[in-house]
Amino acid sequence: AVYDLGGGTFDVSILEIGEGVIEVKSTNGDTYLGGDDFDDKIIDWMVEEFKKDQGIDLKHDKMALQRLKEAAERAKIELSTAMETEINLPFVTADATGPKHLLMKLSRAKFEQLTGDLVEKTTGPCKNALNDANLSASNIGEVLLVGGQTRTPKVQQTVQGFFGKEPNKTVNPDEVVAVGAAIQGAVLKGDVKEVLLLDVTPLSLGIETLGGIFTKIIERNTTIPTKKSQMFSTAADNQSAVTIKICQGEREMASDNKLLGNFELIGIPPAPRGIPQLEVTFDIDANGILHVSAKDLGTGKEQSIRITASSGLSPEEVKKMTRDAESHGEEDKKKKQLAEARNEADTMIYSVEKSLKEYGDKLSESEKKDIEAALEKCKGAKDSGADASEIKSSVENLMKASHKLAEHIYKAAGDQQAAGAGAEASGTKPSEEDVVEAEFEDVDKNKKES
C-alpha cells in the first residue's frame, strides 16, 4: 500500500508487485485533506489563544496571518522530532497601546489533539481502497509513506495501527514521487525494460441507455490495457440510427456523470425494436487512450471515436465524483429504479399492443376491454408516475390482464398443431432423408436497449 499524505491532497493506492510488474489494484483518497489542513489547525489555535490573551482577532490582519502561516508550518515540522516547540512572533500586530508580540509554547500532545480528526479521516479512503481490491489490511505486505506530512509521528502510529505493521520509512517521502515519475518516463521511452506499471481506470466508463440510465461497460479499478464489449439494441420500431453517449463516473444516471463524447451509428435497416444487434466495444490502451466503437452485426456498419486522456478528468475531479456517488447513492438508486420501471412498462405495453393487434379478434369483447383498460392505466402510470412501485404494480396488472390473450394464442397454436398431426397421419410419413435438422441460436436474453 502507498499512503500519500501531501501538502494539499491525500491518496492511497493498493499495488501488487511481482517479477518487475507493478499492478495497481485500486486507488482512493481525499482531495480536501493535506498538510495545509494541519497548518490551519495550528493557526486557529494561535489566533484563539492570542485573542484570549490580548483581545485582538488576528484573523482580520492579512500580514499577521501570513506570519502565522509560516510559524505554524515551522512548528509542525519541529514537532516531528521534538516534544515541544516555541512560537515567537515579535511585533505581530499593534493597537492604540502599542505593538503586540506573540509568544507561545505548543507541545506534541496538544498538536496531536488539534489534528486528531484529520489523521483519523485518512483511514476511510484506506478502507475503501482495500474493499475495491477485495483485500483486508492483513493481506498488505508493505506500507510505503509518501509526502512530507507522513513524517508526523501520529500519522505513522495511525498507519501502523490500521495496517497492523510498521510502515516502510526507507524512501524519502519528498522525492519518491519524482523518482517514480522519472522511472515511468524511462519505461514509456523504452530506456527501462525490466519494470512494467499496470494502472487502473479511476472511474467507471459506459454509455447512456433507455431512460437516461448509465450502463457501465468498464468498471472502475479495472487494470488497463483492457477491452470489453456489450450487446445493445434499438428502443423503437424502424429506428435507423442510434446515438452513443460515452460517460465516465459512478452515478446511476448518465446526466449526473461526465460526458466524454458521443457519435451516431446510422443506416440500421428498418426492424421491430429489440431485433437489431448492436455491439458496443470499449478499448483502453496502455497510454490510457479510450477507443469506443459501435457495430451493427446485421449490416457490418461501424462507427468509432477516440478519447484521449486530456478529454477526461483531473485527479481532484475523479475524487469529487467518487464522493458525489457515495453521498447521492440512495437518491440515485431511486432514480434508476424509476427509469427501469418505466423501461419495463414500455416493453410490456409494446408487447401487449403488438399481440392485441395480431390476436385481438380471438378475444371476447369483455376480455378485450379489460386488456385495453389495463393498457391505458399502465401508460398513464409510466408517463406521469414518479413512484417505481406504482409503475411496477400497473405492469403486473397488465400482465395478468393479458394472460387471457396468451391463452387464446397458445390454444390456436395447439389446434393448428393437432390439425397438422391429423393430416400427417392420413398421408405418407416422410423418410429420414426428407427431415431437415434446424440449428438455432438463442440471442442474449439480457440484451439491453440503447
Side-chain angles (χ1 to χ4, degrees):
V2 178
Y3 181 100
D4 181 358
L5 185 58
T9 62
F10 169 65
D11 297 281
V12 60
S13 300
I14 307 298
L15 313 177
E16 188 175 324
I17 303 169
E19 297 180 1
V21 177
I22 303 163
E23 183 178 350
V24 182
K25 303 300 282 185
S26 67
T27 63
N28 212 288
D30 188 340
T31 50
Y32 298 96
L33 177 62
D36 292 343
D37 299 295
F38 288 73
D39 297 344
D40 290 341
K41 290 281 186 180
I42 298 174
I43 293 167
D44 291 341
W45 173 77
M46 287 192 289
V47 167
E48 197 61 39
E49 290 297 308
F50 191 79
K51 193 175 180 181
K52 282 183 200 170
D53 187 37
Q54 301 289 343
I56 299 171
D57 189 355
L58 295 176
K59 279 277 185 186
H60 305 296
D61 187 336
K62 287 184 180 178
M63 288 288 286
L65 270 178
Q66 182 57 39
R67 290 182 68 191
L68 288 177
K69 173 77 177 165
E70 291 164 3
E73 191 174 359
R74 259 196 319 273
K76 177 183 73 174
I77 292 167
E78 285 172 14
L79 288 172
S80 293
T81 52
M83 296 305 291
E84 188 177 74
T85 184
E86 184 178 85
I87 303 167
N88 186 1
L89 295 175
F91 304 99
V92 71
T93 190
D95 64 4
T97 62
K100 302 292 178 186
H101 312 295
L102 184 148
L103 182 63
M104 295 176 185
K105 286 189 184 293
L106 177 62
S107 68
R108 184 187 287 179
K110 182 63 180 176
F111 172 61
E112 289 177 356
Q113 183 191 328
L114 292 170
T115 59
D117 61 320
L118 298 177
V119 178
E120 199 55 40
K121 270 176 81 176
T122 65
T123 59
C126 291
K127 286 175 190 170
N128 294 338
L130 286 171
N131 289 338
D132 288 343
N134 294 317
L135 296 170
S136 64
S138 59
N139 298 129
I140 302 300
E142 194 92 65
V143 183
L144 286 179
L145 297 179
V146 177
Q149 192 59 54
T150 58
R151 289 193 173 94
T152 305
K154 184 65 177 174
V155 170
Q156 295 175 3
Q157 288 166 21
T158 302
V159 171
Q160 186 169 346
F162 181 84
F163 288 102
K165 55 180 61 65
E166 193 175 346
N168 186 325
K169 302 171 195 168
T170 58
V171 295
N172 184 323
D174 296 318
E175 296 174 0
V176 65
V177 173
V179 172
I183 293 169
Q184 179 63 3
V187 169
L188 294 173
K189 197 180 172 189
D191 293 344
V192 174
K193 294 184 172 64
E194 58 272 16
V195 176
L196 174 64
L197 173 66
L198 298 176
D199 207 349
V200 294
T201 53
L203 292 169
S204 300
L205 294 158
I207 66 169
E208 181 180 342
T209 51
L210 189 65
I213 294 171
F214 176 52
T215 301
K216 295 174 184 176
I217 293 179
I218 294 178
E219 295 280 347
R220 87 182 164 109
N221 285 326
T222 299
T223 303
I224 56 174
T226 187
K227 184 177 182 179
K228 290 191 180 176
S229 298
Q230 208 164 315
M231 295 299 296
F232 296 89
S233 192
T234 49
D237 288 340
N238 303 320
Q239 191 174 331
S240 61
V242 291
T243 301
I244 310 291
K245 290 184 179 178
I246 302 121
C247 301
Q248 181 183 34
E250 297 306 316
R251 303 283 293 274
E252 298 289 0
M253 306 305 289
S255 58
D256 295 323
N257 292 310
K258 164 89 172 175
L259 179 67
L260 296 180
N262 60 68
F263 63 95
E264 282 202 346
L265 178 63
I266 57 173
I268 301 168
R273 59 185 274 178
I275 296 298
Q277 288 184 286
L278 311 173
E279 184 182 45
V280 176
T281 302
F282 275 56
D283 185 359
I284 307 176
D285 63 23
N287 297 316
I289 295 170
L290 171 65
H291 301 266
V292 182
S293 64
K295 184 177 183 181
D296 178 2
L297 297 185
T299 62
K301 286 184 178 176
E302 188 173 359
Q303 284 292 333
S304 62
I305 190 171
R306 178 176 179 269
I307 296 166
T308 60
S310 59
S311 317
L313 300 158
S314 67
E316 287 74 22
E317 287 174 310
V318 167
K319 281 162 196 161
K320 182 181 180 299
M321 289 185 79
T322 306
R323 275 201 312 276
D324 285 349
E326 288 167 5
S327 61
H328 293 89
E330 200 56 41
E331 178 194 333
D332 288 350
K333 190 179 173 186
K334 285 179 183 174
K335 280 185 186 176
K336 187 181 181 184
Q337 284 173 346
L338 181 61
E340 284 176 341
R342 282 181 173 149
N343 288 350
E344 190 184 343
D346 192 53
T347 304
M348 192 66 194
I349 290 165
Y350 173 80
S351 175
V352 172
E353 281 184 335
K354 189 180 177 188
S355 299
L356 202 58
K357 198 181 287 183
E358 292 175 12
Y359 304 101
D361 56 339
K362 293 180 173 58
L363 296 169
S364 68
E365 200 58 40
S366 64
E367 287 171 341
K368 198 170 182 180
K369 276 181 181 175
D370 287 346
I371 294 172
E372 285 172 347
L375 258 175
E376 288 308 311
K377 195 174 178 186
C378 191
K379 282 179 184 176
K382 177 182 81 79
D383 294 336
S384 59
D387 182 10
S389 57
E390 184 190 331
I391 298 170
K392 282 183 178 178
S393 174
S394 71
V395 170
E396 282 173 22
N397 291 336
L398 178 56
M399 202 181 289
K400 285 174 188 171
S402 65
H403 284 170
K404 281 287 178 192
L405 187 58
E407 282 173 25
H408 284 289
I409 292 169
Y410 287 112
K411 187 176 180 297
D415 292 345
Q416 195 176 350
Q417 196 174 2
E424 187 182 304
S426 62
T428 57
K429 186 183 177 188
S431 66
E432 270 189 37
E433 285 78 8
D434 296 330
V435 178
V436 178
E437 191 174 288
E439 284 188 8
F440 67 92
E441 186 180 347
D442 187 12
V443 177
D444 182 9
K445 289 176 185 174
N446 297 318
K447 186 164 58 178
K448 294 182 176 65
E449 293 180 326
S450 174

